[in-house]
Every structure is written in structure tokens, then in C-alpha cells.
Amino acid sequence: MKAFWGFAQRMLRYRRLLAIGLAAALLDAACAFGGFAALMWVIDQLLGAELTVRQMLAQKLAQPEVVRWIGDRSDLAQWVPEGRFEGFTFVLAVILILAAIGSAMRFTHQSCMISVALRTVMRIRKEAFHRLVHVPAELIWTQGTADHLSRIVRDCTQLSRGLNALMGKALRDVFMGGALLVLALLINPVLTAIFLLGLPAVLVCIRKFGKQIRRASKSAFRAYGWMTGAVQESIRAIEVVKAHNAEGYERRRFNTINRQVLRQELQARTARALSSPVIELIAIAGVIVVSVIAAWFAFHTPGGNPKDLVKVLVTLAAAGASFRPLANLNNDLQEAAAAAERIQAVLTLPVEPNTRGSFRQRVPALRRHSQEVRFEHVSYAYPGSQTLAIRDIQLAVPHGTAVALVGPNGSGKSTLLSLLPRLISPTRGRVLIDGVDISQVSLRSLRGQIALVTQHTVLFEGTIADNIAYGQRHATMEQIEAAARAAYAHEFIAALPDGYRTRLGEGGTGLSGGQKQRLAIARAILRDPAILILDEATSQVDAESEARINAALADLRQGRTTFIIAHRLSTVIDADLIVVMADGRIVDQGTHAQLLDRCPAYQVLTRTQLQPARA
């Protein structure tokens, strides 16, 4: 529960709304107190009291303790009609008016507290997403995205319900029940104390069921994360699923996870469903036993008053009705506590150093690259792996050089280039740009100099212009169009009904693979990078587009340091430097002619893996 109460404290940010809601809840409870106090006079009338309501009010106002608190206000009794029936009707009218005022206050309280809960969770959800986008990429790769998505969406929703239950109806019920309990104590404190003897047993049951619900809810939330991941994978790769006739497999996989979710949900719901009737049964049994004791006390002891017994029973019944939802409140809070623990785990994830998310002291910005990129004895192992993906890499690349990395799959090419934008950090060694260790500069200044075009194009929901200008929000339309022309994308964009304002679906739905890749290249051109990373950037385009894009990239590479992961012989031959990798090491480097003459690994690659240029 510690995480939940920590989040609940954040509602204090909205003190004004809380104060209004709290005042409204108190007024609602005061109206209930006044209404039930008036109802006691109705009971006196119905049980044969000889005095009228007007006379009873006059006597009450004349009591010394009342006069001591409010002064002599006996003249107020003149407002009550004289007759017994008229006084009875007047009291009922007062109760109705108090009920109307209480309802208005209840609405005010509920609207204020719901607003506070929603605003608080909105900020928590924002903070959780802010933390996630600054988490190291390698952590996301190892932990996956589905469970984190579930925490931001589903768990935050459950937390909102818990905060609303705490500050909404529950607060009102506490005030209402407390007011009625005070009224019962004023009527007869001894009888009221007898009725409260069964309260400890109820509290013990509430606590026991609450622990079971929290454990089961936490498991259910975890299972929901698995289910979210299964749905994401199936829908994102729907072409592969259908092409392999794997709908049945995906149905069975989803059904298995769905049954796990149901099993965890049923455990939580069983404890939740069992708690209310068990607590009610204990409460009813306790009330019956205590009622017998109270009745004996009222009928057989000096000064006992059966009329007080009726009044206390009525008042405590109303108080019990107000406190009754608190058993369900505990269930809601336990579920919210389970969600809060999972959200808190997101908020405590490590973040990349030297970013806005790390909240560290200001670090120097990296000047625009103009000299050399150097890898000094760099090794890297993925989290949880005992094997180094790359080992003792030493490589110096002068500014303006085009470097092609070749090697079999798994040789470490992509891992090595992931070190440049600090998607991952070396396990050992350093990466230097112009002699500066990139771990000691701000990530924003480092990544602002790098453009990355991968084999798998990533497009976002939005317009084509938005996708080209992704990360460059101040780019003008003229700059966006110029980048598209340089990437040979303007022609097909202009042919679309809305041109650059055409909205793309998820993942660029509606565009061909080659069109998507040209948009990604246009995005890289717009960044005007000092360092360009191309991971099979032309793999998804046709032969004609490939030739034109290669020409554009050749112009773009001028005056920039370019790293290319290549499987095309034409790309390799054009590079200034070819680096051959195998088993995470650099086995040789040089020009095409040099390597073809002396490097057996490169000779094998040219025969087996490096594809000739397409006609």
C-alpha cells in the first residue's frame, strides 16, 4: 500500500478542488445529521409523546448546556407550528429541504474529487511515459513493450478508480457515518458503545480479504500484460500470420493466455465477492447479539428507555448503511495498490545518462563532428548474456569517410553501430567523436548530429509531412519538400489526393515498401547529419529507385562520415573503407581490391553473401 499512498499524496497538488470537495462533504454530513436529529422528534411523536414538536424544541433551546453554547434562542421555537400534526408535517418538510441541500453538496463533492483523481492520474501517466522514453533501449529490448503498455493504460485506469473511491464516495460515507454515529452517542452513549463491540471482528475480516485481493490483482495485471503482447504481435504481423495459415495457432496462443487472465481475475473476484457477504453476516450476527444485550439493558436496568433503544437502532442502521460500502472500498484500494506497485516500478526504471530524463547536472554539448570517429578497445555484452556480442573493437574513421561494414549475420555489425547514437553503451572501452568521449556529452547534441536509416522502415500515424519532419518540428514546408525531392519521394507524394497532408495509418498503411523507405531517407536528409548510418537503406526499393536514391545518398555523403551495413557489392566497392567482421571482431579492413587480394573471409563474402547490383 505504500506506493498507493505515495500517489494519493499527489492529489494535494489540487488543494483548491480538495477544499471545495471536503467542505461539500462536510455540509452533506451536517445535513444528514440535522435530518436524522429531526427524525428523532418524529419518532417521539409516533411513540406517543405528549409534547408537540414546538414544545420539544423550546425545551431543547432552554437547556443550560445549549444556552451556554449558542445563547438564548428560545424564540426560534415560534417558527414551528403549534399543532401536533402541523409540527409533524413541518419536521418532514425540514428533512426534505436538508436532503435536497445534501444532494447538491454530494454532487459538488463527487465532481471535485473525480476531477482531482483524473488530473492526478493524468500526471502520473505522463510521468510514466516520460520515464519510459528515456529508459535505455537495451532495457526495452530485453523486457519487451507489452507489459509497460499495460501499466500505462490499464494499471493507471485502475489507480484512478482507487483514488476516486478513496476521495469520492468513501470520504462522503465516512463523514456521513461519523455524523450519525455522533448522533447515536448523543442519544445514548451506553447503548451505542454496546453496539460497537462487534466492530473489531469486521475490521479483521476486511484486512484479511484485502491482502488476498491485492495479491490476486497483481497477478491479473501481469497476465493482462502478456495478453496485450500477444495481441500486438499477432496484429502487427498479420501478413505473416495469414501467409502461413497460422490463424489457428494464434487463436490457441491467445486462448491460453486469455484463460490465464480469467484464472487470475477469478481469484481476485472470488475474494472480492466473498468478502462482502462474510462481513455482512458477521455484522448482522453481531448486531443481533448486541441488540439482545442492549434490549435487556433498556428493559431491565434503572433508567433504561426503550424509546432510546429504537432511536439508537435507527441511527446506527443508517450509520451502518453509510459504512457498509467501506468494505468494497478496501477491495478497490487493494486492487489500486497492486496497480500502484506496478506503476511505481516503471517510475523507478533507470534512465539514459545526460538526458532530460536523468535530471542530472548540465553536461557539455558535442560540437559538430569534423575530425574523427574512433572506437577504442570497445566490447559489449547484452544484458543477461555471458557472451560478448563485440569484443575489443579498434577502429578510426576520419571525417568524411564512407565505411562499409560487412560480415555474416550475427557478426556484430548492427551492435557496433548502435554504440554511436548511444542506443547501447560499451561494456568496456570508449567511443570518441573528435576526441570527446560520447558518454560525457548530452545525448541531445550527440543524436542531433546522427541520421539513421534502417532496413525496417518506421513510420508513425500522422501526415507524410509530419513523418518526414519527425524530430524536426521547426522544419518548413519548403525544407520538407526539398528533402523529399532529394530522396525521389516527391513524385509519388504529389500524386496522392492530399499530397504532403495525406494522413498515414499505423506503420504507414497504404504505402509500398519502397515508398516507405524513401520517406525514411527524406527524413534523414532533412536532419542534415554530420554522421549518417545506413542499415540496408535501399533494401525495400526497386532497381530504378535504388539507383536514383544511391545517387542522392552519394551527394548526401559528401562532407559527412557515413557508416553502411551493406549486402550489395556495388555499395561495398564505392566505400572508402571496408571493415570485415566475424564473431564480434574486426578481422580486416581496407579497400575492395586490398581485401579481395589478402582476406579469405572477404573473398568468401563476395562469393556467397554480397549481392551484385540489380539491373
Side-chain angles (χ1 to χ4, degrees), residues 185-261:
L185 288 169
L186 291 175
I187 294 171
N188 195 312
V190 177
L191 288 177
T192 304
I194 293 175
F195 274 105
L196 295 178
L197 291 177
L199 185 60
V202 175
L203 295 177
V204 169
C205 289
I206 290 176
R207 179 179 176 83
K208 182 176 180 180
F209 281 113
K211 289 182 177 180
Q212 294 180 0
I213 292 171
R214 183 167 73 248
R215 286 195 297 267
S217 297
K218 197 169 183 179
S219 299
F221 293 149
R222 193 179 303 112
Y224 268 106
W226 299 336
M227 185 169 67
T228 302
V231 174
Q232 277 185 314
E233 289 178 350
S234 301
I235 300 303
R236 188 181 294 133
I238 191 66
E239 299 93 342
V240 177
V241 172
K242 291 183 176 298
H244 288 79
N245 290 324
E247 293 93 341
Y249 169 78
E250 292 298 332
R251 287 198 310 269
R252 290 189 295 273
R253 185 165 74 107
F254 179 82
N255 289 341
T256 300
I257 300 175
N258 200 23
R259 283 193 294 269
Q260 293 176 352
V261 172

Side-chain angles (χ1 to χ4, degrees), residues 115-436:
S115 296
V116 169
L118 291 177
R119 290 173 185 269
T120 301
V121 172
M122 180 271 293
R123 298 183 69 88
I124 293 171
R125 189 184 293 116
K126 174 185 175 182
E127 184 178 340
F129 181 77
H130 181 250
R131 173 68 64 151
L132 273 180
V133 295
H134 287 291
V135 164
E138 57 189 353
L139 190 62
I140 298 296
W141 295 337
T142 54
Q143 294 186 358
T145 59
D147 190 52
H148 291 129
L149 173 64
S150 178
R151 297 182 191 215
I152 290 180
V153 178
R154 179 177 172 81
D155 292 13
C156 281
T157 300
Q158 188 61 50
L159 177 62
S160 176
R161 291 174 183 169
L163 294 177
N164 184 40
L166 175 65
M167 300 302 295
K169 193 173 184 299
L171 187 63
R172 180 252 175 188
D173 290 338
V174 169
F175 285 164
M176 184 74 69
L180 297 177
L181 189 59
V182 169
L183 180 60
L185 288 169
L186 291 175
I187 294 171
N188 195 312
V190 177
L191 288 177
T192 304
I194 293 175
F195 274 105
L196 295 178
L197 291 177
L199 185 60
V202 175
L203 295 177
V204 169
C205 289
I206 290 176
R207 179 179 176 83
K208 182 176 180 180
F209 281 113
K211 289 182 177 180
Q212 294 180 0
I213 292 171
R214 183 167 73 248
R215 286 195 297 267
S217 297
K218 197 169 183 179
S219 299
F221 293 149
R222 193 179 303 112
Y224 268 106
W226 299 336
M227 185 169 67
T228 302
V231 174
Q232 277 185 314
E233 289 178 350
S234 301
I235 300 303
R236 188 181 294 133
I238 191 66
E239 299 93 342
V240 177
V241 172
K242 291 183 176 298
H244 288 79
N245 290 324
E247 293 93 341
Y249 169 78
E250 292 298 332
R251 287 198 310 269
R252 290 189 295 273
R253 185 165 74 107
F254 179 82
N255 289 341
T256 300
I257 300 175
N258 200 23
R259 283 193 294 269
Q260 293 176 352
V261 172
L262 176 63
R263 185 162 56 250
Q264 300 295 343
E265 284 278 20
L266 286 178
Q267 290 181 5
R269 292 301 176 263
T270 299
R272 188 183 184 100
L274 190 60
S275 65
S276 182
V278 169
I279 291 171
E280 286 185 17
L281 180 60
I282 294 174
I284 291 173
V287 167
I288 291 175
V289 173
V290 175
S291 296
V292 172
I293 299 173
W296 182 89
F297 179 83
F299 289 120
H300 294 87
T301 60
N305 187 349
K307 190 184 296 185
D308 284 349
L309 176 61
V310 174
K311 291 180 181 179
V312 170
L313 281 173
V314 171
T315 307
L316 287 179
S322 296
F323 285 128
R324 178 182 174 186
L326 296 183
N328 291 328
L329 167 67
N330 181 66
N331 298 338
D332 292 334
L333 294 186
Q334 295 299 336
E335 291 184 350
E341 291 175 7
R342 285 166 48 82
I343 298 170
Q344 184 64 36
V346 173
L347 297 179
T348 55
L349 287 173
V351 298
E352 295 174 307
N354 304 341
T355 65
R356 293 177 61 186
S358 63
F359 304 106
R360 288 180 51 181
Q361 295 180 347
R362 294 182 62 86
V363 291
L366 179 67
R367 294 184 179 181
R368 186 171 177 86
H369 164 55
S370 61
Q371 299 174 22
E372 181 187 64
V373 175
R374 179 180 292 272
F375 297 86
E376 286 189 350
H377 300 285
V378 172
S379 299
Y380 177 78
Y382 284 97
S385 174
Q386 302 298 322
T387 304
L388 291 173
I390 56 175
R391 60 193 73 193
D392 198 29
I393 298 294
Q394 298 188 68
L395 178 66
V397 180
H399 173 258
T401 302
V403 180
L405 276 70
V406 299
N409 292 333
S411 59
K413 303 184 296 295
S414 296
T415 302
L416 180 63
L417 294 189
S418 294
L419 293 167
L420 270 176
R422 271 176 53 193
L423 298 178
I424 56 178
S425 298
T427 305
R428 292 193 297 270
R430 299 188 303 168
V431 180
L432 306 175
I433 294 181
D434 298 346
V436 179

